[in-house]
Amino acid sequence: MLYFLRNNIRANHLFLRKFSETLIPSNSKKSIATDNDKNLYKNTFNSINVNPNGTIKLVLHLPARKENCEFTLKFLNDDIESLADKIKQEDKSIEKIVFYSNEGNRISKSTPIRSIIFSEFKIYINDEVYFFRPPESLSKSSDESLKYLVQNELDQVRELVSKLYLHLNIDQYEVEKEKKILDEIEILRYELEPLENKRQELEFSAKKHTNRMIWLGLGLMSMQAGILARLTWFDYSWDIVEPISYFVSYSAVIGVYAYYVLTRKEYGYESASDRIFLRHFHKNAIKKDLDINKYNILKNNISTLENDLKAIRRLNSTAK
């Protein structure tokens, strides 16, 4: 009786084990093979994703190594053959790799990898089959995803080409930039030349006028001192001239204060001479049709370009 029960339990256990291999638990990633693949095993759904940088990440369970392996593929460059070569390099026990579409059609090795990631496909490795299902974001809008991935990849290629061009042609680029700056400086100096001639002429005239006014002030003060001295020692006495000299000195104080009221600046001989110079210069600039604003803009532009030119030459000397 015990022998019969033992055989019965063993038979039921084997039956349940065989039956459980044909089922898929809700939390498992395993899948049922097609009718032609019932004799295959480990028919798992492996993952395939597309990274934001445009590369494809494919995770595959290697049969001999018994572990998942991640493969990174380029969206525009890699094809089926390159993926098969990478898989064989990771698992030397693999003898045969064949790709099939979900409809059962064999996929050629020259097919680009971007052509199969938008639909389900299978990979036959030796005697095992592996199913791949695209992400939902790709399966819902394959056209938009394809455009996005292609644009992302092209942007990276453009950036790489620009960096490569910059590194390979840095000397030529700097020479051309230096030549361009020199040409711009030459053009600006040509425009500035007639204005500069007028400015120098007006500046010379303003300096002469300022010197005349300074000497005139000295002459007036000397004349004032001479008149007061004559009145004190020859015509009158100091008792009479003293109040006069006091009012003359106080008139000078009033004049200094009047200067502050008009200019809002403290009186000084240097500031007073500068004011005389600027008044005469701007007054004659209007008569001579000198555009001071245009002159200042041209000078600032030339100064900026000259600083850029010095920076470029300093970098060249440092690199050498």
Side-chain angles (χ1 to χ4, degrees), residues 197-207 277 280-290:
N197 294 333
K198 289 183 180 180
R199 186 198 66 81
Q200 291 178 358
E201 181 182 351
L202 294 175
E203 183 178 358
F204 180 75
S205 176
K207 284 182 178 179
F277 174 86
H280 188 272
F281 181 87
H282 285 278
K283 181 178 179 180
N284 290 334
I286 298 174
K287 296 179 179 180
K288 298 290 184 177
D289 294 330
L290 175 62

Side-chain angles (χ1 to χ4, degrees), residues 42-231:
K42 295 183 180 178
N43 301 317
T44 58
F45 272 110
N46 297 268
S47 66
I48 181 170
N49 293 300
V50 180
N51 298 323
N53 60 1
T55 59
I56 300 171
K57 184 179 73 174
L58 185 142
V59 179
L60 177 65
H61 186 81
L62 299 178
R65 297 173 59 176
K66 307 299 182 182
E67 62 181 0
N68 292 335
C69 185
E70 181 178 310
F71 298 92
T72 302
L73 306 170
K74 293 183 179 180
F75 184 81
L76 294 178
N77 298 338
D78 288 326
D79 53 12
I80 299 299
E81 185 177 5
S82 62
L83 175 58
D85 293 338
K86 291 180 180 179
I87 296 174
K88 288 181 179 180
Q89 290 177 2
E90 293 296 328
D91 195 336
K92 302 299 182 180
S93 65
I94 297 175
E95 298 178 355
K96 181 181 69 173
I97 299 178
V98 184
F99 291 77
Y100 282 90
S101 64
N102 194 35
E103 293 79 11
N105 300 322
R106 181 167 179 170
I107 303 174
S108 65
K109 292 184 178 181
S110 61
T111 303
I113 195 68
R114 63 178 179 271
S115 301
I116 65 172
I117 64 171
F118 296 103
S119 60
E120 296 182 4
F121 64 95
K122 296 176 289 185
I123 301 178
Y124 286 81
I125 301 178
N126 294 342
D127 295 331
E128 300 179 14
V129 61
Y130 296 85
F131 293 85
F132 288 87
R133 180 179 295 166
E136 295 181 358
S137 59
L138 294 181
S139 59
K140 290 181 180 179
S141 56
S142 60
D143 293 339
E144 295 180 1
S145 300
L146 180 61
K147 291 179 181 178
Y148 170 76
L149 293 173
V150 171
Q151 184 63 35
N152 197 336
E153 188 77 11
L154 290 177
D155 291 341
Q156 291 184 354
V157 171
R158 292 193 189 99
E159 183 179 0
L160 180 61
V161 170
S162 62
K163 290 182 179 179
L164 184 62
Y165 177 82
L166 182 61
H167 284 291
L168 294 178
N169 301 275
I170 187 66
D171 294 335
Q172 182 180 358
Y173 172 77
E174 291 180 351
V175 170
E176 291 178 354
K177 188 174 182 180
E178 182 177 350
K179 183 177 181 301
K180 182 179 179 181
I181 292 176
L182 290 174
D183 293 340
E184 292 179 0
I185 292 176
E186 188 67 24
I187 294 173
L188 292 176
R189 285 178 177 172
Y190 180 78
E191 295 180 5
L192 183 66
E193 184 177 1
L195 300 178
E196 183 68 25
N197 294 333
K198 289 183 180 180
R199 186 198 66 81
Q200 291 178 358
E201 181 182 351
L202 294 175
E203 183 178 358
F204 180 75
S205 176
K207 284 182 178 179
K208 288 180 63 177
H209 175 75
T210 303
N211 289 330
R212 284 197 299 267
M213 295 301 295
I214 291 173
W215 284 106
L216 178 62
L218 177 62
L220 291 175
M221 293 176 67
S222 300
M223 184 181 298
Q224 174 184 314
I227 292 174
L228 292 176
R230 179 178 177 78
L231 292 176

